[in-house]
Amino acid sequence: MNTTVRAMALVGLLAFGCNKPDPPEPPEVSNLQRLGDAEIEEMAGSKLNGIGVATIERGQLLDKLRRLQTDEEFKARSARFGIQAVAAFELGEGGAVVKYARGAGRIQFAGGREDAALGLEAYSFGAVIGGSATQGVILFLGLQDEAATNGTYVGSVTRATAATAETEDATILVHETNGHYAYLVTVGQGLTADAGKSKLTLSVR
């Protein structure tokens, strides 16, 4: 199991190969507060409980979250931009070559709403073997305000889930307009092979 956080190739990337200008750098000063490590884990556990994630999967996600917080690149980026929000989600996916996944979750903002609904839609272009259900946590770095959460995040997907229900510790996506980061920590069930490019669209309700 590779515990290294793999940054996705994000420069000039949009789903399915269309080019766009580089996303801007996120602001180093936000209208939201910054979260500490203990607050992040507490929020993640609370949100996972709130959406009904089972004890085993919840433990796996929190373990991955702790490992992520020790990663040097993540620590440097979070020190620079701060972590302003934590979300938990569940996705169900399907499709043949172009995979579509739709799900829901809950999100908490530092100094803002403590339990807002979150809608998710994801597309990726690659091979799919069987089906998969994905549960996870998202950390938002450099988020300017609650409204900035909405929109499309882009990246390449290199995740493969198998019988261990384990994935890499984190996938990094970038908001294509605002430039802030979304770190996704996930566990999956079933067997899915992802390749190529993807996009994730979020909406806070």
Side-chain angles (χ1 to χ4, degrees):
M1 176 66 181
N2 181 5
T3 59
T4 302
V5 177
R6 299 174 185 174
M8 301 295 98
L10 297 169
V11 176
L13 174 66
L14 186 63
F16 313 141
C18 299
N19 292 323
K20 290 199 71 173
D22 296 355
E25 280 283 290
E28 295 187 24
V29 178
S30 171
N31 295 325
L32 298 168
Q33 298 173 12
R34 292 188 174 206
L35 296 168
D37 287 352
E39 292 175 295
I40 291 166
E41 184 171 339
E42 181 181 353
M43 285 184 182
S46 173
K47 296 304 156 207
L48 290 167
N49 282 332
I51 64 172
V53 174
T55 302
I56 293 175
E57 285 79 9
R58 186 167 67 248
Q60 291 173 337
L61 286 166
L62 293 178
D63 284 344
K64 288 187 174 188
L65 193 59
R66 294 182 195 107
R67 290 198 298 268
L68 173 62
Q69 290 172 313
T70 67
D71 180 82
E72 293 301 323
E73 181 181 345
F74 175 81
K75 289 196 295 185
R77 189 166 281 159
S78 60
R80 180 181 177 189
F81 298 112
I83 300 169
Q84 292 83 18
V86 177
F89 68 91
E90 186 165 28
L91 284 172
E93 62 188 41
V97 177
V98 178
K99 184 177 66 179
Y100 169 74
R102 187 174 184 178
R106 311 297 298 183
I107 185 169
Q108 181 169 350
F109 298 93
R113 282 187 287 178
E114 295 185 355
D115 190 35
L118 181 68
L120 304 90
E121 292 187 346
Y123 293 87
S124 65
F125 185 84
V128 177
I129 305 170
S132 179
T134 300
Q135 298 162 323
V137 172
I138 310 175
L139 304 184
F140 294 88
L141 283 66
L143 184 64
Q144 182 67 16
D145 52 40
E146 293 187 14
T149 312
N150 299 314
T152 299
Y153 298 73
V154 292
S156 286
V157 177
T158 58
R159 174 176 57 83
T161 67
T164 57
E166 290 283 334
T167 68
E168 62 185 305
D169 283 338
T171 297
I172 306 170
L173 302 178
V174 171
H175 194 286
E176 65 177 4
T177 303
N178 301 323
H180 59 265
Y181 296 92
Y183 276 71
L184 280 71
V185 178
T186 61
V187 293
Q189 299 171 344
L191 184 64
T192 301
D194 285 328
K197 298 165 185 173
S198 70
K199 69 176 182 179
L200 174 69
T201 301
L202 302 181
S203 58
V204 178
R205 297 188 286 270

